[in-house]
Amino acid sequence: MAHEDLWWEGRGGCPDSCNRCNGSSANYRCIDCDGGQLLCGICIKEVHICNGLHRISEWNGNYFTETSLKALGYQFQLGHRVGEKCLSPQPVFADSFVIIDVNGVHEVALDFCNCETAQLDFSACTFRALKHFHLLSFESKISGFEFYRALACFSNNTGITPPKDRYQSLMIMIRIYCHMKMLKHLGKGHDVGGSAATKPGECAVMCPACPQPQMNLPLGWEQAEASKHTCSNHSAVNASRLAKGLAATGVGTIDCARHDMKRPSSVGDLQEGEKYGYINMDYFFFSSIRDTSLTDIVVSYDITCQWSINIWARMKSYPHYLHTDYNGRKAFYFLVPKFHLLAHVMACQTTFSFNFNRYVGRTDGEAPEHGWSHNNPIASSVKEMGPGSHCDTMDDHFGDWNWKKTTLLGTRLTFIHSRLSLLRKIKVAVKESNDRKFLHNQFESGLPKAAVEQWRCKLNAWESDHNAPNPYQQRINNPTKDAVRRALADEETRDDQVAYILHADISASSLISMGLDLKEQQFVHTSLTLLTTLGQYATEDQKGWLQTRADALHRKISAWIDVQHFYMPGLIIIHNQSRKPYPQPPVGKIQLYLPSSAPLRSGCDPRLQKLEWQLHRTQARASDALDELRNSLRLRSYLYIDKDRFQRGQHANTRACSIIQRAEKKVALAAKIYSTTRTALLALVPILSEADISDIYPELLPQDIRGLSQADDNQARSGRVEGDEGLNDALHIEWCKSKARADRWSEEVELLREEMRRVCAFFETHTIEWERWAEIIIALGSPIDARAHSICHRPGGAISSNAHTLSDFVEVRKRI
C-alpha cells in the first residue's frame, strides 16, 4: 500500500502528452476529480468550466506543486449562467475574492454583474459547505472554528502559506444559513406575510404525539376525559457551579415529558442556577404554557414540592401576557420525576409520585435529563458566543433534537432505534398491563371484600383530592432505633441528675448504642469472611481488603471496651484473663459483654440493663430487622422471577446468580440481627421483671424465612388478618400500590393508542396546510411558485415526509 501511495504521488504512469488534445504537455492533475489523469493547462480549464472550485496540482519535473484554476485564467461570472458573457462585468476589488467549499478555502478570480446592481463583497461560501457544517454540527457537535481550520488544512496543510482568513465571515454566513433553513422548513417561505409575520415559538419543531389543539385533537376534546389529553411538561436545570464573571451558568428547558421534545418558547439561560427565587424557571414555564388551550397539565420538576407552593403568587409579578387561568378552566398537577423522588422525604415520595397519581401512565418525568448528554458537547463553542449567536445555535440544535425524536416515533427504523418507536412501547405496555391486572386480581381475591371496598373508597378520595388522608402512608409507624437513641439523648440533656454519665465524652446510652452497632458490624464482617464469599482461591488483594476491614473494626472494638470499663469495671479482670497467651479469636467472635450477656461478676449496673432494654424493646432493633428481612425476601423473590423469565445465556445467568447471592446474605444478616435481639430481650426479662415478649417476638425458625406462599393467601382469605392492625395496614398499602401499578399500565396503553391517533392527525393537518400554502403561492403568481410547489411534493419534502410517517402509523394502528 505504501508503494501504491508513493506511485500516486508521481505521475502514476501517465503519458507526457495531454490525453484530451494529444498536443501540449500534460502537467496538470485535478485532486478532486476521479481518474487522476494529467491534462494540459487549456484542457484542465475547459473540463472544469462547471467545477471552478476543484484543487489543481502542477508537475514541475520532479514532483507536484499546488496551483489553482485562477492561476490558469479561470474566471467566475456572477449573474449569468455558466458560459455566458456579461456585458458589464465588475471585477472584485484587488482581485481578492475567497470562496469556502467542502474541499478547502479557495482564492478565485470573480466578476460581479453590473448589468443591474452589483453587490460587492470579498467572500462567499457554497451551500454544500454550509449544509456539510450544519449536519456535522448536529452529529459530531463540531464548532465553526474547528470546521474552518479543517477546511484551511485542505487548502494547505503545511502551515507555511495558509489561505486568507475568512473565519468571521463564515460564522456570519452559517448563522444566516441556519436561520433561513429554519424558516423554510417550518413553511415561512410560503407565508404571505414573510418571516416578519412569524410569532414567538412558531418555528419550533412540535411534538406530533402531544395534544396540539387544532392540529391533532378531535372536535369537542374539551369535554373528553382528562386521561386522554394530559400533557406532561417537565422543567429541568443544567446549571454550572462556576458563576463568577459569567453572563449565564447553564440552560433551563421545558420539555414534553412523554416524548422528550423541547417545547416552543421554553429554553433560556440561567444565572447561578435557581439561586434567585426560581425567576428564570418561572419565566420559562409561564412562556411555555401561555398559548396552550389544554385544560389538564401535569408539571414534573425536581423540586416541585417547594417550587409549586407560591408559583401562582409569583406569576402576578410577571407581565400580563404570561398569566394563565390556573383557577378556572385549566388544572395543574405537580409531580416529581421518579429518579429524583427518592431524594425527597417520605411524604413527598407518595404525594408527588408518578406511580401513585392518575392519568400519567408510565411516564417517569425524567425526559430533560435524557437530552443533556446529546447537547452538552456544544457548550465549548456556545459559551464563547455573543447572546444572539448563542440563542440561535441552541435553537438550531434543539430543533434538530426534536426532529430526530419525531422520526423515531415511526416504525421504519433500524434495529437500534426501534426500541424508541410507539409500536414497540405499546407491545410492552399491553403485555405488562395484562400481567399487572392479573397479579392485582389474584392478590385482591385473597383479601376480605369489605376491607377492599373500604380501601378503594379511600384511594379514590385521595386521588380526587390530595388533602384527603394519603392511603400510601403508614398509619402505624414503629419508632426506629435512631428515634429511640435521640429520645434517650434528649432525656439525658433535660435532666443531668438522671443521666448516667461516667465518661467525659460518652454517656451510658451512647455506650450501649455503640455496642449494638459494633455487634451488627461483627455480623457483617463474619458474613464477608465466609469461604463462600471470596471462594477457595481468594487473591492476595481480596485477603488484604478483608484484613484491612478486620483491623479497622478491631480498633473500634478496643476503643469501645476501654470506655466500657468505666461503666462495668468488673469486665477488666475478665478481659485481662482473655488476653493471656491464648490464640486470639477473630474480630467477629470477640465478646462485647453487653448488659444482657454480661457475666454476673462483671458488676453490671441495672441502669445499663434498663437502657439496653429500652433500645431493644421500644420496637426499634427487632422491628427494623424484620422490616429489612421482609424487604430482602421480596427482593430475592423478584430476582428469582427475573432470572427465570428474562435471563438467558451463561453471562446473564452468572450475573443474576451473583446478585441473588448478595440478596441471600442480606436475608441471613437480617435474620441474625433479629434472633440476637430476641435473645437479648429474653435474657433481660427476668432481670428487670418485665413481661414476657415471646408472643410479641416469636422465635424465627429457618422455615419461617420464605416469601409469601399459598398458605398465607389462605390465611388472608379466611379473614384472620383483620385482627392484626399492623398487618392490615401493610396489606392496605400493598393493595394500593398493586392497584396503582395495574392502573398506570392500563393508562399507558390508553395514552399510547391516543398518541398514535394524534400523530396521524398531526401529519394529516400538516399535509393539508402545506398544500394550501402552495396553492396560495401559485394563485398569487409568485416567481417562486414552481419551486414552492415542488418543495412540498419532492421525496423527503414536507408532504412526502408527512405521508411516509402517516403510512407508518396507519400500519401500526392496524397491528394493534
Side-chain angles (χ1 to χ4, degrees), residues 478-481 520 523 615-616 619-634 665-678 681 697 700 705:
N478 296 323
T480 63
K481 58 184 179 183
E520 285 190 17
F523 294 153
L615 285 170
H616 280 310
Q619 297 185 352
R621 299 184 65 82
S623 298
D624 288 348
L626 285 178
D627 289 340
E628 180 63 26
L629 179 59
R630 294 188 188 102
N631 292 334
S632 300
L633 287 172
R634 282 195 290 266
K665 292 174 184 175
K666 289 184 178 180
V667 170
L669 179 61
K672 180 68 174 178
I673 293 174
Y674 172 80
S675 299
T676 303
T677 303
R678 180 180 180 274
L681 288 172
Y697 297 117
L700 184 64
I705 305 175

Side-chain angles (χ1 to χ4, degrees), residues 585-723:
V587 68
K589 300 294 184 180
I590 297 178
Q591 289 291 335
L592 298 184
Y593 296 117
L594 289 166
S596 59
S597 59
L600 295 177
R601 55 196 179 106
S602 64
C604 181
D605 193 292
R607 288 176 291 182
L608 294 176
Q609 297 170 335
K610 186 67 174 178
L611 285 173
E612 185 181 359
W613 172 268
Q614 287 179 306
L615 285 170
H616 280 310
R617 178 64 186 89
T618 317
Q619 297 185 352
R621 299 184 65 82
S623 298
D624 288 348
L626 285 178
D627 289 340
E628 180 63 26
L629 179 59
R630 294 188 188 102
N631 292 334
S632 300
L633 287 172
R634 282 195 290 266
L635 175 62
R636 186 184 66 178
S637 300
Y638 168 78
L639 291 174
Y640 274 116
I641 294 173
D642 178 79
K643 177 179 179 294
D644 295 338
R645 291 181 60 183
F646 303 112
Q647 306 303 326
R648 297 293 182 270
Q650 182 177 357
H651 174 75
N653 275 281
T654 302
R655 179 170 180 173
C657 290
S658 299
I659 298 175
I660 291 174
Q661 188 179 19
R662 291 199 294 267
E664 293 281 7
K665 292 174 184 175
K666 289 184 178 180
V667 170
L669 179 61
K672 180 68 174 178
I673 293 174
Y674 172 80
S675 299
T676 303
T677 303
R678 180 180 180 274
T679 301
L681 288 172
L682 291 175
L684 291 172
V685 164
I687 298 175
L688 301 175
S689 301
E690 296 285 350
D692 188 28
I693 50 88
S694 299
D695 295 336
I696 301 175
Y697 297 117
E699 183 180 1
L700 184 64
L701 301 175
Q703 57 266 30
D704 296 329
I705 305 175
R706 54 181 172 78
L708 194 64
S709 64
Q710 185 64 35
D712 301 295
D713 288 342
N714 295 334
Q715 181 187 10
R717 187 175 288 108
S718 65
R720 281 181 285 172
V721 299
E722 295 180 353

Side-chain angles (χ1 to χ4, degrees), residues 13 32 66 196 274 281 293-294 307 431 443 489 494 553 576 596 615 634 643 651 660 741 762:
D32 297 314
E66 294 180 0
E274 301 154 289
M281 296 311 302
S293 56
L294 298 173
W307 175 73
K431 181 180 182 301
F443 178 57
R494 286 194 304 268
L553 181 58
N576 289 336
S596 59
L615 285 170
R634 282 195 290 266
K643 177 179 179 294
H651 174 75
I660 291 174
R741 287 190 288 268
F762 182 87

Side-chain angles (χ1 to χ4, degrees), residues 130-143 177-178 181-182 185 373-375 377-378 392-404:
L130 292 171
K131 183 177 181 179
H132 194 65
F133 168 76
H134 207 203
L135 295 178
L136 280 176
S137 66
F138 288 152
E139 300 303 324
S140 66
K141 307 305 177 185
I142 189 174
S143 66
Y177 174 83
C178 295
K181 286 295 183 181
M182 179 183 65
H185 291 160
S373 61
H374 179 79
N375 291 301
I378 65 174
D392 288 347
T393 303
M394 296 296 293
D395 284 344
D396 201 30
H397 281 265
F398 285 142
D400 175 70
W401 173 261
N402 282 9
W403 173 247
K404 288 176 180 175

Side-chain angles (χ1 to χ4, degrees), residues 243-244 246-247 249 270-283 301 303 307 314 317-318:
K244 187 175 181 180
L246 301 179
T249 59
L270 300 172
Q271 287 75 39
E272 297 194 35
E274 301 154 289
K275 181 177 179 180
Y276 296 109
Y278 318 120
I279 295 176
N280 302 74
M281 296 311 302
D282 286 352
Y283 182 80
Y301 190 19
I303 53 172
W307 175 73
R314 298 196 302 270
S317 62
Y318 289 87

Side-chain angles (χ1 to χ4, degrees), residues 378-644:
I378 65 174
S380 58
S381 56
V382 297
K383 69 181 181 181
E384 302 291 342
M385 296 179 180
S389 299
H390 169 81
C391 294
D392 288 347
T393 303
M394 296 296 293
D395 284 344
D396 201 30
H397 281 265
F398 285 142
D400 175 70
W401 173 261
N402 282 9
W403 173 247
K404 288 176 180 175
K405 287 291 182 178
T406 300
T407 59
L408 293 178
L409 293 175
T411 58
R412 296 181 183 177
L413 306 170
T414 64
F415 174 77
I416 296 176
H417 292 150
S418 62
R419 62 186 179 87
L420 301 176
S421 68
L422 294 180
L423 175 60
R424 186 263 179 190
K425 288 183 178 180
I426 200 167
K427 285 181 178 179
V428 175
V430 169
K431 181 180 182 301
E432 288 290 340
S433 177
N434 294 334
D435 290 346
R436 298 297 176 177
K437 286 180 181 178
F438 174 78
L439 292 174
H440 175 68
N441 291 335
Q442 289 291 103
F443 178 57
E444 187 177 282
S445 64
L447 298 173
K449 294 184 178 179
V452 170
E453 289 302 320
Q454 183 181 8
W455 297 343
R456 183 175 284 107
C457 293
K458 292 181 179 180
L459 180 60
N460 292 337
W462 181 82
E463 289 179 338
S464 301
D465 182 9
H466 280 9
N467 292 322
N470 192 332
Y472 295 100
Q473 290 183 350
Q474 289 185 348
R475 293 173 298 166
I476 302 175
N477 293 317
N478 296 323
T480 63
K481 58 184 179 183
D482 292 331
V484 175
R485 292 175 182 178
R486 185 171 61 251
L488 292 174
D490 292 341
E491 181 180 347
E492 292 174 346
T493 304
R494 286 194 304 268
D495 193 349
D496 291 338
Q497 295 180 354
V498 177
Y500 184 26
I501 302 175
L502 299 179
H503 190 271
D505 299 321
I506 300 175
S507 64
S509 63
S510 299
L511 176 73
I512 303 302
S513 298
M514 293 168 61
L516 295 176
D517 288 341
L518 290 174
K519 193 69 176 177
E520 285 190 17
Q521 292 180 37
Q522 283 183 307
F523 294 153
V524 173
H525 181 77
T526 301
S527 66
L528 289 175
T529 55
L530 292 177
L531 184 62
T532 55
T533 300
L534 294 179
Q536 184 177 359
Y537 303 102
T539 64
E540 293 299 326
D541 184 63
Q542 292 172 324
K543 294 178 180 179
W545 174 75
L546 273 179
Q547 187 60 45
T548 301
R549 290 178 60 94
D551 293 343
L553 181 58
H554 194 279
R555 288 191 295 270
K556 291 181 182 179
I557 293 176
S558 298
W560 181 82
I561 289 176
D562 291 340
V563 179
Q564 186 186 29
H565 291 164
F566 284 89
Y567 294 91
M568 303 172 66
L571 291 177
I572 298 177
I573 299 176
I574 298 175
H575 282 143
N576 289 336
Q577 290 176 348
S578 64
R579 291 171 183 170
K580 291 182 179 180
Y582 296 118
Q584 294 296 319
V587 68
K589 300 294 184 180
I590 297 178
Q591 289 291 335
L592 298 184
Y593 296 117
L594 289 166
S596 59
S597 59
L600 295 177
R601 55 196 179 106
S602 64
C604 181
D605 193 292
R607 288 176 291 182
L608 294 176
Q609 297 170 335
K610 186 67 174 178
L611 285 173
E612 185 181 359
W613 172 268
Q614 287 179 306
L615 285 170
H616 280 310
R617 178 64 186 89
T618 317
Q619 297 185 352
R621 299 184 65 82
S623 298
D624 288 348
L626 285 178
D627 289 340
E628 180 63 26
L629 179 59
R630 294 188 188 102
N631 292 334
S632 300
L633 287 172
R634 282 195 290 266
L635 175 62
R636 186 184 66 178
S637 300
Y638 168 78
L639 291 174
Y640 274 116
I641 294 173
D642 178 79
K643 177 179 179 294
D644 295 338

